Amino acid sequence: MFVLKNAWFTIRRHAARSLVMVLVCLVVAALATTAATVLQADTKARTTDYESQQVDAVISPRKGTKVSPLGWNEYSKYAQRLQMDGMQYKAYFHETADINPEGLTQSGTYSLVGVSDKQAEPTLPHGPFVLDQGKGLDYASQNASGTQTVLISKQMAQANKLKVGDTLTIKDPRQQDQQVKLTVSGIYHYRKAADQAANRAIYTAYPTFAMLGLDTASKPGDPGHELLVAFVLDSPSTYQKFIKELRKDGLKASQYDIDSPSLKDYQRRMEPVHQAADQARTVIILVCLLGGLILLGCLFLMLHGRANEIGMAITIGVHKARLGWQFALETLLLTLPGLALGLALGTAISRPLGRSLFHLGSLASMPHAGLIWKIILIGLAVCLVLALAAAARVAAFRTAQLYTNDLEDEA
């Protein structure tokens, strides 16, 4: 009780200095907790979230080479090899070929795009579209229904006075004297501004594209004929294995690139998080450095000029250990509450500050239990070091000073 009473008396006597120490501990703990939460989000984005991504792998000729795009025979060969190696995957694709619909007022080349399924729509040649009228493509029952349906652009519909339910007539590329009727099931527009070629794109389910023979009338790489096949893999690690297997199977890196649009898109979306993490590291360094200097300054002021107090206490019989505990307790009574309040405040403000200050959006989160415990342990270590430094001042006091004028000089 004697030690606690004396420590509290000293704290109250120097209220301004004591308040500064508490506030510094509070601010450092709060900002460090918030910044550490940003680093937590960045680590999660680089590890668990990254590894949980489903990856689409696309093969394309390397720029600057004259090799042709892969065709269905090559894709089938690689797919069979991957199956033999026990690799699990799915696939989506879309294929494009030029067509010449009859009776349209707009001149120019039109293209028919055969789409495998809904998953392929975000990767279409001219970008994703939004349906304005009618129904989207029926990937499941188009062949069974006997009706071949297509989607046309809003611009194309207006220019040719077409509406949902109307038909387009094109020649069968295998038999030019035969005509095929395609029913307009929907009208679309692009999410972004598009050129004339994009607005002349007609979309259909792939069975219709194949039924017309457009997959064999020409080959990928010929004018107007494009093919994109994406292998869908369950994780980035499987994607890396996929690349190694294809390279071993003869797909030369000097001729063909293997890329993942989905991974590139994920990394693009995570770039603000990585930038925020860099800012958070800077905040932690600056806050801890500045806060540490202020605490050391306050500690120096707290210990400076107390040689006379130490000497008087020893003279009346107070043991150095007990006096050292008093000095240590003076720092602990200021730093520990500041640490606790700062940690509580940092936990409360980490999410809103992550959104507003570090622009994390929905990725901003509360600190995990493991992170909180790590900050607590670091904070306790700092408090303990300050307390030991204060106690060391008493331990360093030379009893011989009691019989010299050193006490008066230091006081």
Side-chain angles (χ1 to χ4, degrees):
M1 183 60 69
F2 170 81
V3 171
L4 179 60
K5 181 179 179 181
N6 283 354
W8 183 245
F9 175 76
T10 303
I11 290 173
R12 292 183 59 186
R13 187 173 60 181
H14 302 283
R17 185 183 65 205
S18 302
L19 181 61
V20 169
M21 290 190 71
V22 173
L23 290 178
V24 168
C25 291
L26 186 152
V27 171
V28 170
L31 291 181
T33 301
T34 301
T37 305
V38 177
L39 297 181
Q40 168 188 279
D42 181 60
T43 300
K44 185 171 180 288
R46 293 178 185 271
T47 54
T48 55
D49 284 358
Y50 178 80
E51 280 301 321
S52 67
Q53 294 298 306
Q54 193 176 69
V55 182
D56 52 358
V58 177
I59 304 169
S60 59
R62 181 178 286 274
K63 290 183 179 180
T65 63
K66 296 182 179 180
V67 296
S68 300
L70 297 183
W72 284 114
N73 290 335
E74 291 86 354
Y75 278 115
S76 298
K77 180 188 73 172
Y78 290 127
Q80 291 174 3
R81 176 58 184 269
L82 293 172
Q83 289 176 344
M84 291 174 59
D85 292 337
M87 184 170 293
Q88 300 297 318
Y89 64 89
K90 297 178 182 179
Y92 66 81
F93 53 88
H94 50 75
E95 192 168 4
T96 304
D98 289 344
I99 59 172
N100 292 304
E102 296 182 351
L104 299 185
T105 57
Q106 273 188 312
S107 60
T109 302
Y110 292 81
S111 61
L112 186 67
V113 184
V115 187
S116 64
D117 53 45
K118 193 76 174 178
Q119 192 173 6
E121 290 185 5
T123 65
L124 291 173
H126 305 292
F129 58 77
V130 178
L131 196 65
D132 283 331
Q133 303 175 35
K135 298 180 180 179
L137 298 176
D138 184 357
Y139 298 106
S141 60
Q142 186 161 151
N143 269 355
S145 67
T147 302
Q148 312 305 325
T149 59
V150 295
L151 304 180
I152 63 174
S153 69
K154 186 176 181 179
Q155 184 185 75
M156 179 178 171
Q158 292 174 344
N160 295 279
K161 298 181 179 179
L162 294 171
K163 60 182 183 298
V164 174
D166 288 347
T167 58
L168 296 176
T169 302
I170 67 169
K171 291 182 179 179
D172 189 324
R174 297 163 300 183
Q175 303 178 56
Q176 291 294 314
D177 58 337
Q178 298 293 324
Q179 293 181 333
V180 179
K181 301 288 187 179
L182 303 175
T183 302
V184 177
S185 64
I187 298 173
Y188 69 86
H189 74 273
Y190 293 103
R191 293 178 181 175
K192 297 182 179 179
D195 56 19
Q196 288 295 324
N199 285 303
R200 291 196 183 108
I202 302 170
Y203 296 101
T204 188
Y206 192 79
T208 297
F209 186 92
M211 181 272 298
L212 293 171
L214 294 172
D215 56 334
T216 57
S218 58
K219 61 182 180 180
D222 289 346
H225 194 145
E226 299 176 5
L227 171 64
L228 181 141
V229 176
F231 294 87
V232 182
L233 309 168
D234 60 5
S235 69
S237 57
T238 305
Y239 171 63
Q240 295 301 323
K241 181 181 177 183
F242 172 88
I243 294 175
K244 291 180 181 178
E245 293 297 326
L246 288 189
R247 295 305 186 201
K248 286 196 303 184
D249 204 34
L251 189 69
K252 296 181 179 179
S254 60
Q255 297 178 336
Y256 292 94
D257 290 325
I258 304 177
D259 295 312
S260 174
S262 63
L263 271 188
K264 287 183 177 179
D265 179 66
Y266 175 78
Q267 291 167 346
R268 177 187 59 78
R269 289 186 287 109
M270 292 300 106
E271 189 59 34
V273 181
H274 303 331
Q275 294 175 358
D278 292 337
Q279 296 172 357
R281 291 187 187 93
T282 303
V283 168
I284 290 176
I285 293 173
L286 292 178
V287 166
C288 290
L289 182 61
L290 183 60
L293 291 175
I294 295 175
L295 286 177
L296 287 176
C298 290
L299 182 64
F300 174 79
L301 292 175
M302 185 181 78
L303 300 177
H304 180 68
R306 298 183 70 177
N308 189 49
E309 178 186 345
I310 297 173
M312 292 294 293
I314 293 176
T315 301
I316 64 175
V318 180
H319 195 273
K320 273 190 176 183
R322 191 176 186 185
L323 194 59
W325 171 233
Q326 175 190 321
F327 275 49
L329 193 59
E330 290 176 15
T331 64
L332 293 176
L333 289 175
L334 299 174
T335 55
L336 289 179
L339 173 64
L341 292 173
L343 186 61
L345 178 62
T347 302
I349 67 174
S350 58
R351 178 172 289 175
L353 271 188
R355 290 173 177 171
S356 59
L357 183 61
F358 294 100
H359 308 291
L360 292 183
S362 60
L363 295 175
S365 63
M366 301 282 284
H368 294 160
L371 177 61
I372 293 176
W373 277 111
K374 185 180 294 186
I375 296 174
I376 290 175
L377 292 176
I378 294 173
L380 289 177
V382 172
C383 294
L384 181 60
V385 168
L386 293 174
L388 290 175
R393 173 64 185 90
V394 177
F397 181 82
R398 293 178 292 111
T399 308
Q401 289 179 264
L402 294 172
Y403 308 103
T404 66
N405 293 326
D406 292 346
L407 290 179
E408 296 180 1
D409 294 339
E410 189 172 339

